[in-house]
């Protein structure tokens, strides 16, 4: 419809509008005529001159048309001053066209007016569907209901802990929340139009038919595994919670298939295959654990979103109720009696419930007569003084909204959202309270908080584990460096030692010596041989382990270690006694690993002895089908409260510079891998005895195999 009081301008404007493909349902020259045509014809758009002749100017006429007919208005004016523009905004006009105008300007302004009006109407319908008790949530999208940022934060925490990518996608394939998407999707499949179409179709159709509370594993049309569980709100499906872009760890990659895809869709093969190999590989156990979390999260999202919709509708209903109260006490009484919202009238000073409606009686489980004899403090589970304080906050108009725990007749505690305001009813001042049950929402919030706390705890635990692993790695590096240095020193000592031995033995053969000199020469050769044995033992200890079991002479191994330790023990005034079994069988073991166990136990025994010295007793014996090696010391012993911790990594009672807390744990692990045991006996101040039991099994079979 065109509203213009200059006939020539009106006719020219009508011609331009028709050239743009629109029909003109009528032309008016006054505001009164425009209002009448709008009421009868209901045009899609009104083009109106701001300055019209007659009682009803353009501004006033547009205001009436917008209010009564909800039609979009586009103003025409030759004067676009600030006051004119502000007047147009006040009546809801969608724009202003300055005279004179061309066909292009007119087309743009009309199209923009239709776009704005349609967007406003769509938004209005969505709001009505959310807040109106009669609204249909089926006309809403998932993005209209859920609050994406908190969900994104929760998903980020879960991904940091599990490395499982996930996303929340609506029924149109729109991604609302996502984390951890792989390069193969973001840099390839979602970029190419054809593979992107495959992604969206997979998200929308391959995930269909999954019942509430269950999940479906499927391979998308681009051959990547995904898992979906539905998000149900108010009994209707609004989208899916996905985890995906992974393979199962026990299934090999189909390189031939993905190379063919790279060729088909024009992907750079090397980069595409690299992104394929970066896709996570999950075990089915990890997936099942993760999906139990996703199903719970989908339920919480569903319950919380639906509770928010119901709360929004309740708040809208509350606002309507409060407005009605201000208009009429009679209407208030009718509303109070028949409304579905829970309502109470409370005497402000005493807290006595003056009246309760039917909905309140149904909710609390008491008759209306019983409720009228109760004090609000009997329902509210806050301390009485706190209830009185909150009641006075309403009286003084400091607050009007609260969340309280209320006890109902059955004894159950229900969380309620309370809106309370002072009103006048038949000359009496009362507190009018509207109550909404938010127990389910509260539980959902607590569940999300609990899940957040658990995720934070697991992240902290994982961080601590990584720190401990790093410490173990650094210690292993130090030990490796020491071993390499020792081996290097032993190698360098062997050459000069061989020269010394050759010289001494040559003197023994050729030189004619006095008896005393010959004895000294023999002593020198003996000490040189002892040095050679020490170097050989040092090289044995630092030679990389083969990891293979061979025959092992326990006594020979103990003697080699004691030889290495002899100088240290003598310097610390520690004596060693040996009680070896005469017929101790050999065992099948990894020799260097068992030597490491003996070395650790002897070192610990020496460290436990006092500065004044001590005694270490090494005993061996056969116990049924096991060989036992007992190492006993006369040191300080082990406290009872420390006994259960001694095999735990990094636990030590030694000074920080002396002990790492890894000797016993490493020894325990070695013995356990040999199907053996370590037994400990100790009393504080009386020393400790560590007994290593190692199986003899396998010796007979090995001997038989050698004979054959």
């Amino acid at each position: 419809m065109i509203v213009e009081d200059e006939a020539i301008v009106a006719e020219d404007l009508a011609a331009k509008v028709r050239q743009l493909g629109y029909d003109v349902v009528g032309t008016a020259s006054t505001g009164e005529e425009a209002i009448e045509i709008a009421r009868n014809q209901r045009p899609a758009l009104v083009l109106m001159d701001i300055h019209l002749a007659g009682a009803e100017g353009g501004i006033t006429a547009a205001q009436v048309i917008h209010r009564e007919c909800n039609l979009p208005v586009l103003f025409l004016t030759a004067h676009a001053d600030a006051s004119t523009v502000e007047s147009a905004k006040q009546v809801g006009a969608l724009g202003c066209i300055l005279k004179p105008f061309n066909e292009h300007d007119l087309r743009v302004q009309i199209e923009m007016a239709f776009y704005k009006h349609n967007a406003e109407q769509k938004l209005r319908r969505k709001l009505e569907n959310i807040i109106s008790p009669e609204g249909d949530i089926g006309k809403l999208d998932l993005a209209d209901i859920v609050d994406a940022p908190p969900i994104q934060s929760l998903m980020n925490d879960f991904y940091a802990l599990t490395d499982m990518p996930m996303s929340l996608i609506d029924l149109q394939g729109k991604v609302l929340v996502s984390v951890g998407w792989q390069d193969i999707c973001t840099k390839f499949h979602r970029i190419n139009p054809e593979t992107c179409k495959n992604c969206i179709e997979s998200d929308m159709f391959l995930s269909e038919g999954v019942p509430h509370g269950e999940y479906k594993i499927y391979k998308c049309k681009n051959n990547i595994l995904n898992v979906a569980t539905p998000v149900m709100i108010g009994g209707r499906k609004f989208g899916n919670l996905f985890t995906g872009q992974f393979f199962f760890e026990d299934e090999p990659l189909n390189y031939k298939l993905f190379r063919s895809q790279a060729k088909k869709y024009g992907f750079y093969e090397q980069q595409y295959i690299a992104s394929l190999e970066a896709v996570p590989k999950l075990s089915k156990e990890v997936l099942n654990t993760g999906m139990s979390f996703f199903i719970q999260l989908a339920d919480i999202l569903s319950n919380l979103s639906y509770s928010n919709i119901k709360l929004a509708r309740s708040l809208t209903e509350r606002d309507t109720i409060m407005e009605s109260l201000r208009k009429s006490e009679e209407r208030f009484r009718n509303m109070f009696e028949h409304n579905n919202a829970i309502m109470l009238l409370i005497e402000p000073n005493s807290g006595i419930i003056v009246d309760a409606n039917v909905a309140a009686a149904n909710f609390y489980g008491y008759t209306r007569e019983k409720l009228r004899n109760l004090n609000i403090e009997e329902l509210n589970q806050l301390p009485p003084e706190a209830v009185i304080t909150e009641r006075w906050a309403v009286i003084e108009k400091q607050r009007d909204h609260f969340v309280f725990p209320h006890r109902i007749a059955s004894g159950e505690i229900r969380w309620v959202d309370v809106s309370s305001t002072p009103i006048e009813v038949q000359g009496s001042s009362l507190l009018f309270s509207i109550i909404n049950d938010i127990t389910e929402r509260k539980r959902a919030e607590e569940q999300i908080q609990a899940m957040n706390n658990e995720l934070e705890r697991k992240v902290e635990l994982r961080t601590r584990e990584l720190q401990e692993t790093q410490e173990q790695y650094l210690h292993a590096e130090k030990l490796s460096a020491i071993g390499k240095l020792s081996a290097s020193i032993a190698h360098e000592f062997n050459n000069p030692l061989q020269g010394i031995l050759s010289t001494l033995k040559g003197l023994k053969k050729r030189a004619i010596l006095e008896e005393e000199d010959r004895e000294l020469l023999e002593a020198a050769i003996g000490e040189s041989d002892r040095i050679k044995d020490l170097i050989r033992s040092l090289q044995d200890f630092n030679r990389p382990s083969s990891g293979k079991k061979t025959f092992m002479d326990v006594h020979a191994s103990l003697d080699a270690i004691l030889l290495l330790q002899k100088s240290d023990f003598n310097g610390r005034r520690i004596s060693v006694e040996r009680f070896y079994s005469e017929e101790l069988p050999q065992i099948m073991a990894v020799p260097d690993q068992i030597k490491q166990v003996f070395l650790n136990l002897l070192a610990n025994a020496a460290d436990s002895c006092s500065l004044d010295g001590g005694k270490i007793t090494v005993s061996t014996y056969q116990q049924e089908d096991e060989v036992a090696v007992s190492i006993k010391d006369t040191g300080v012993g082990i406290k009872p409260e420390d006994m259960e911790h001694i095999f735990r990594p990094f636990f030590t009672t030694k000074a920080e510079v002396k002990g790492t807390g890894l000797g016993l744990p490493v020894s325990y692990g070695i013995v356990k891998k040999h199907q053996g045991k370590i037994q400990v006996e100790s009393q504080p101040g009386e020393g400790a005895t560590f007994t290593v039991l190692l199986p003899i099994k396998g010796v007979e079979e090995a001997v038989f195999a050698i004979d054959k």
Side-chain angles (χ1 to χ4, degrees):
M1 177 175 67
I2 295 173
V3 186
E4 171 63 63
D5 55 4
E6 294 186 17
I8 295 176
V9 175
E11 187 61 33
D12 177 63
L13 180 58
K16 284 184 169 63
V17 169
R18 291 188 180 98
Q19 288 176 1
L20 294 176
Y22 299 103
D23 292 329
V24 178
V25 298
T27 302
S29 59
T30 65
E32 293 83 356
E33 290 180 29
I35 294 171
E36 189 64 26
I37 294 174
R39 288 169 176 166
N40 295 329
Q41 299 292 331
R42 299 282 176 169
L45 178 66
V46 178
L47 300 177
M48 180 176 294
D49 190 359
I50 290 181
H51 304 288
L52 293 174
E56 299 283 0
I59 297 291
T60 304
Q63 191 172 20
V64 173
I65 292 172
H66 184 72
R67 183 180 66 248
E68 292 186 8
C69 306
N70 191 29
L71 297 177
V73 177
L74 190 59
F75 279 130
L76 308 170
T77 181
H79 308 285
D81 56 274
S83 61
T84 301
V85 173
E86 185 61 31
S87 298
K89 289 181 180 178
Q90 293 297 325
V91 299
L94 298 180
C96 251
I97 303 177
L98 290 177
K99 300 177 184 177
F101 48 81
N102 56 40
E103 184 177 328
H104 176 266
D105 293 338
L106 182 62
R107 178 192 295 275
V108 170
Q109 288 292 338
I110 290 176
E111 289 179 354
M112 286 298 297
F114 278 129
Y115 175 79
K116 290 180 181 178
H117 182 67
N118 291 334
E120 288 177 358
Q121 294 304 305
K122 183 179 180 181
L123 179 60
R124 186 188 302 274
R125 287 193 297 271
K126 285 187 175 181
L127 289 174
E128 288 176 351
N129 286 324
I130 291 175
I131 66 176
S132 172
E134 294 79 23
D136 181 7
I137 64 172
K139 296 180 180 179
L140 300 172
D141 295 328
L142 185 58
D144 300 324
I145 301 174
V146 300
D147 190 5
I151 301 173
Q152 182 70 64
S153 177
L154 179 63
M155 285 188 174
N156 289 343
D157 288 343
F158 187 77
Y159 178 74
L161 178 66
T162 65
D163 287 334
M164 292 181 66
M166 64 189 82
S167 59
L168 182 63
I169 302 178
D170 66 15
L171 296 180
Q172 286 72 46
K174 181 180 179 181
V175 179
L176 305 183
V177 177
S178 66
V179 65
W181 279 31
Q182 299 300 306
D183 286 349
I184 196 168
C185 288
T186 59
K187 294 183 179 180
F188 293 97
H189 293 163
R190 290 275 174 172
I191 300 300
N192 181 279
E194 188 172 352
T195 54
C196 182
K197 181 181 178 183
N198 289 341
C199 291
I200 295 174
E201 289 179 353
S202 299
D203 293 342
M204 294 174 62
F205 304 117
L206 295 183
S207 60
E208 288 183 345
V210 185
H212 175 64
E214 298 182 16
Y215 64 88
K216 178 181 180 180
I217 303 174
Y218 67 92
K219 183 175 289 186
C220 75
K221 291 188 176 182
N222 293 318
N223 295 298
I224 305 292
L225 286 177
N226 293 277
V227 186
T229 188
V231 176
M232 309 291 290
I233 300 175
R236 297 185 182 185
K237 181 178 178 181
F238 277 80
N240 291 289
L241 194 61
F242 288 90
T243 183
Q245 305 162 18
F246 69 92
F247 298 107
F248 283 123
E249 62 182 12
D250 57 354
E251 296 179 2
L253 294 177
N254 190 339
Y255 286 96
K256 182 177 180 181
L257 172 63
F258 284 93
R259 285 193 174 96
S260 69
Q261 287 190 178
K263 182 177 181 181
K264 178 179 179 181
Y265 300 119
F267 299 146
Y268 183 56
E269 182 177 305
Q270 184 176 358
Q271 295 178 354
Y272 186 62
I273 295 302
S275 67
L276 170 69
E277 292 173 341
V279 173
K281 296 163 183 67
L282 305 178
S283 68
K284 294 180 180 177
E285 291 76 16
V286 169
L287 180 64
N288 289 334
T289 301
M291 287 314 300
S292 66
F293 167 80
F294 288 150
I295 291 172
Q296 292 181 51
L297 179 59
D299 284 340
I300 290 172
L301 289 176
S302 300
N303 294 333
L304 189 58
S305 300
Y306 196 48
S307 296
N308 287 339
I309 290 175
K310 292 195 292 185
L311 179 59
R313 291 177 173 178
S314 297
L315 293 176
T316 302
E317 191 172 7
R318 179 199 67 181
D319 292 341
T320 303
I321 292 170
M322 302 298 275
E323 181 65 23
S324 299
L325 281 173
R326 286 190 290 269
K327 289 182 178 179
S328 169
E329 284 190 7
E330 182 178 352
R331 288 181 58 193
F332 165 73
R333 174 53 58 184
N334 183 61
M335 173 274 303
F336 183 84
E337 292 293 336
H338 301 101
N339 203 281
N340 291 328
I342 304 164
M343 299 180 185
L344 298 176
L345 289 174
I346 302 169
E347 203 286 316
N349 295 311
S350 64
I352 293 173
I353 299 174
V354 176
D355 203 356
N357 68 352
V358 175
N362 292 335
F363 173 70
Y364 287 106
Y366 296 108
T367 63
R368 296 183 68 182
E369 290 73 19
K370 176 66 175 176
L371 281 172
R372 292 182 185 124
N373 292 319
L374 294 178
N375 191 293
I376 191 62
E377 295 170 13
E378 298 178 70
L379 300 179
N380 196 323
Q381 295 305 293
L382 291 182
E385 58 273 14
V387 179
I388 294 172
T389 300
E390 300 292 31
R391 195 163 67 243
W392 276 101
V394 178
I395 296 171
E396 298 295 331
K397 297 185 178 180
Q398 297 172 350
R399 293 182 62 193
D400 61 2
H401 182 259
F402 310 87
V403 174
F404 291 135
H406 276 197
R407 184 186 297 276
I408 62 177
S410 66
E412 181 186 0
I413 303 298
R414 305 291 293 182
W415 283 95
V416 294
D417 179 278
V418 180
S419 297
S420 190
T421 187
I423 64 169
E424 293 288 328
V425 177
Q426 297 178 352
S428 298
S429 295
L430 299 175
L431 299 183
F432 173 54
S433 296
I434 302 174
I435 297 166
N436 292 292
D437 182 7
I438 60 168
T439 304
E440 298 306 319
R441 189 190 77 183
K442 193 78 172 178
R443 288 173 181 168
E445 291 172 349
E446 290 173 352
Q447 286 179 339
I448 287 181
Q449 184 60 47
M451 292 170 68
N452 269 329
N453 294 340
E454 179 65 13
L455 285 174
E456 290 175 1
R457 186 190 68 79
K458 290 183 177 179
V459 168
E460 182 180 351
L461 178 62
R462 182 69 179 275
T463 301
R464 193 159 55 246
E465 290 174 350
L466 290 174
Q467 290 173 343
E468 291 179 355
T469 301
Q470 184 184 27
E471 291 176 5
Q472 294 178 11
Y473 172 76
L474 291 175
H475 182 73
E477 287 290 310
K478 290 179 182 177
L479 293 178
S480 175
I482 292 171
K484 291 177 181 177
L485 178 61
S486 300
S488 176
I489 292 172
H491 177 74
E492 294 299 327
F493 277 17
N494 264 331
N495 291 328
L497 179 62
Q498 184 61 44
I500 293 171
L501 273 172
S502 298
T503 302
L504 291 175
K505 290 179 180 180
L507 282 173
K508 180 180 177 181
K509 289 181 180 180
R510 298 179 181 85
I512 300 173
L513 302 172
E514 297 292 332
E515 183 62 28
E516 184 178 348
D517 292 335
R518 181 170 293 279
E519 289 177 358
L520 289 173
L521 182 60
E522 291 285 353
I525 293 173
E527 289 303 304
S528 297
D529 285 334
R530 191 165 69 87
I531 294 173
K532 182 174 69 174
D533 291 339
L534 283 171
I535 292 174
R536 185 179 294 113
S537 297
L538 190 61
Q539 288 175 321
D540 287 342
F541 267 103
N542 291 287
R543 187 174 290 113
S545 173
S546 66
K548 296 181 180 180
K549 290 184 178 181
T550 61
F551 288 117
M552 177 179 175
D553 187 330
V554 173
H555 289 163
S557 298
L558 287 169
D559 289 340
I561 295 167
L562 289 171
L563 178 62
L564 285 174
Q565 298 284 72
K566 183 177 179 179
S567 177
D568 180 52
F569 287 176
N570 290 339
R572 296 162 70 173
R573 290 180 288 181
I574 297 173
S575 63
V576 178
E577 290 187 356
R578 309 182 202 193
F579 296 96
Y580 289 173
S581 171
E582 294 183 358
E583 297 181 357
L584 192 72
Q586 290 187 342
I587 63 173
M588 288 293 289
V590 182
D592 56 329
Q593 292 183 4
I594 299 302
K595 287 180 182 179
Q596 182 66 50
V597 173
F598 295 157
L599 180 62
N600 289 342
L601 295 180
L602 286 167
N604 284 349
D607 290 340
S608 70
C609 291
S610 67
L611 296 176
D612 297 329
K615 183 172 71 174
I616 297 175
T617 303
V618 181
S619 305
T620 64
Y621 54 92
Q622 182 174 349
Q623 181 176 294
E624 296 181 354
D625 58 349
E626 293 178 318
V627 164
V629 178
S630 174
I631 298 176
K632 180 180 180 181
D633 64 71
T634 59
V636 297
I638 303 171
K639 296 178 181 178
E641 60 268 25
D642 291 339
M643 287 290 283
E644 60 179 300
H645 303 299
I646 60 175
F647 292 111
R648 194 180 72 196
F650 302 107
F651 177 81
T652 180
T653 58
K654 303 177 186 178
E656 184 175 351
V657 296
K658 195 171 184 181
T660 64
L662 289 174
L664 284 178
V666 169
S667 299
Y668 178 83
I670 292 172
V671 173
K672 188 175 181 181
K673 287 182 179 179
H674 282 75
Q675 288 81 48
K677 300 184 288 290
I678 297 183
Q679 298 174 348
V680 187
E681 297 178 5
S682 179
Q683 290 293 332
E686 298 181 10
T689 302
F690 283 79
T691 302
V692 178
L693 298 171
L694 295 168
I696 310 173
K697 62 181 181 180
V699 174
E700 294 82 358
E701 292 85 343
V703 171
F704 178 76
I706 292 171
D707 292 341
K708 294 288 285 186

